[in-house]
Amino acid sequence: MSAALLALTGAASAQQAGGSNELNVYNWSDYIAEDTIEKFEAETGIKVNYDVFDSNEVLEAKMLSGSTGYDVVVPSIEFMARQAQAGVFAEIDRSKLENYGNLDTGILEVIAVNDPGNTYGVPYMMFTTGIGYDKAKAAERVDAAKLGSWDMVFDPETAARLADCGIALLDSPTEIVAPALNYLGLDPNSEEAGDLEKAQALLESIRPHVRYFHSSQYINDLANGEICVAVGYSGDILQARDRAAEAGQGVEIVYSIPPEGAQVGFDMLAVPVDAPNKDNAMKFIDFILRPEIAADITNYVFFANPNTAATEFVDPSVRDDPGIYPPEQAKAKLFSLKPHTARFDRTLTRAWTSIKTGQ
């Protein structure tokens, strides 16, 4: 065999074994520090191809279609659990994760309810889903007692007062219907047809006052004063708060975990079963689990991380922010989401389409 042929054969074998010099990552938008990828590439020599999405539904559609070409994806835990049951993910090889011991064991136990044995995912960041609002504009339109509560969006009379300055909701049926159910005093994970009908009726009653549904646009729109209220992810709204402050246009954004209760969630690092570069995926996950790297990401995106060794490296202003690390009083009212059955998911999707279109 010639030297050239040997070289080609060796390269092909390395690629088949996951020895490629590339890594394909699919993550949420605005969800990593500015220099995380650059640091990983410089240290490992691995070229990262980095794509973004802005809803679990978009990610799930790709994952269930198969052959995505991605090596690391970042679903929320309840979506990852369902996708794992469908055989989408490879088991996490913890023998290749030197920094796995940095993870909070209590959080791993919570996650294990949806991912038994912590088999298919490694927790990346934690978040709550609450309300971001323009302090001045909201105060002009809403009773002080209702500021920061779910009344701002779910009470038709209050939402009507805010319609002129703009309300945005996540384009995610799961993460809007759940707090609507909770607001009605129902189980946020209920799959009862009657409960969904009540939540749908509530959302249809406030639909005329909602400017748009989108899962990332609200970040800049809040910061720029284009809208005054958004239901969104904690870190995203806190990013909007800082962008507004940096712009110096007098826009002050507040993030609230509504006192009636809100979703707490975990986004997971997972490896598709058909990932072309599994070894590189494990190197990347282990890199993210380094205390300084996890802290850098938290300091940049304003999402709490589950890495106990990282806490000392998190900026005190971030670590002490109740919107990022909720106090005990707020924690008591938080709820987590469970995977929906496929049958309910179809019903939910139909209801969501009706809510958005008004038909």
Side-chain angles (χ1 to χ4, degrees):
M1 188 179 290
S2 70
L5 187 55
L6 277 169
L8 286 171
T9 303
S13 298
Q15 199 160 24
Q16 289 169 4
S20 163
N21 214 35
E22 292 193 357
L23 177 73
N24 304 308
V25 178
Y26 198 35
N27 195 3
W28 294 82
S29 58
D30 299 291
Y31 209 29
I32 198 165
E34 281 186 309
D35 59 356
T36 306
I37 299 301
E38 181 183 338
K39 285 180 178 177
F40 177 75
E41 289 179 329
E43 180 176 312
T44 64
I46 295 169
K47 172 70 172 70
V48 178
N49 303 307
Y50 191 87
D51 294 336
V52 300
F53 59 90
D54 63 9
S55 79
N56 274 297
E57 287 79 10
V58 168
L59 172 60
E60 181 163 87
K62 277 205 172 181
M63 296 309 303
L64 295 181
S65 69
S67 302
T68 64
Y70 291 114
D71 302 303
V72 177
V73 297
V74 193
S76 296
I77 179 62
E78 68 275 12
F79 281 80
M80 191 201 79
R82 181 170 61 189
Q83 293 157 20
Q85 291 172 2
V88 165
F89 297 117
E91 294 188 11
I92 295 294
D93 185 353
R94 282 184 231 158
S95 69
K96 296 181 178 178
L97 299 177
E98 295 181 7
N99 296 302
Y100 192 83
N102 293 332
L103 292 168
D104 186 314
T105 55
I107 288 172
L108 289 174
E109 289 177 8
V110 171
I111 288 171
V113 172
N114 277 327
D115 181 22
N118 301 113
T119 303
Y120 294 104
V122 174
Y124 176 59
M125 293 283 147
M126 303 182 293
F127 63 92
T128 54
T129 302
I131 298 174
Y133 60 94
D134 183 309
K135 185 176 181 180
K137 290 179 180 177
E140 291 172 358
R141 295 164 172 81
V142 177
D143 296 339
K146 294 187 175 184
L147 287 173
S149 77
W150 283 119
D151 282 335
M152 292 182 76
V153 291
F154 292 148
D155 174 48
E157 184 179 333
T158 305
R161 295 177 189 168
L162 292 160
D164 69 305
C165 62
I167 298 174
L169 302 185
L170 290 169
D171 190 5
S172 172
T174 304
E175 290 165 308
I176 297 298
V177 170
L181 287 165
N182 185 70
Y183 180 77
L184 293 169
L186 303 169
D187 177 2
N189 286 297
S190 174
E191 295 195 355
E192 294 292 328
D195 290 348
L196 178 57
E197 287 173 5
K198 292 174 184 176
Q200 182 174 348
L202 173 65
L203 291 168
E204 287 175 346
S205 75
I206 58 104
R207 176 64 184 92
H209 313 308
V210 176
R211 184 171 296 179
Y212 64 76
F213 297 81
H214 201 280
S215 295
S216 60
Q217 182 181 336
Y218 65 90
I219 303 173
N220 282 330
D221 285 355
L222 269 179
N224 296 335
E226 295 294 325
I227 59 173
C228 62
V229 178
V231 175
Y233 305 116
S234 51
D236 286 351
I237 292 170
L238 292 167
Q239 287 181 53
R241 178 195 66 185
D242 275 25
R243 291 179 191 179
E246 289 168 6
Q249 299 300 311
V251 176
E252 184 178 352
I253 301 301
V254 176
Y255 175 67
S256 172
I257 300 173
E260 302 95 329
Q263 175 196 354
V264 60
F266 302 90
D267 289 321
M268 309 293 291
L269 298 165
V271 180
V273 70
D274 59 355
N277 306 294
K278 286 190 175 69
D279 285 344
N280 292 348
M282 300 313 294
K283 290 176 184 176
F284 182 73
I285 292 172
D286 201 42
F287 183 78
I288 296 295
L289 291 176
R290 289 186 191 174
E292 297 88 345
I293 298 300
D296 282 347
I297 297 171
T298 287
N299 288 334
Y300 187 76
V301 302
F302 301 124
F303 284 87
N305 69 71
N307 191 319
T308 55
T311 304
E312 65 178 291
F313 301 105
V314 175
D315 189 286
S317 66
V318 175
R319 191 170 63 232
D320 299 335
D321 190 320
I324 303 174
Y325 290 88
E328 292 304 317
Q329 183 178 0
K331 282 183 182 178
K333 292 289 190 74
L334 296 176
F335 57 81
S336 59
L337 300 183
K338 298 175 183 177
H340 287 145
T341 61
R343 181 177 181 179
F344 179 77
D345 219 32
R346 289 191 293 271
T347 305
L348 179 61
T349 299
R350 287 194 297 270
W352 187 244
T353 300
S354 177
I355 291 164
K356 287 175 61 180
T357 62
Q359 299 177 352

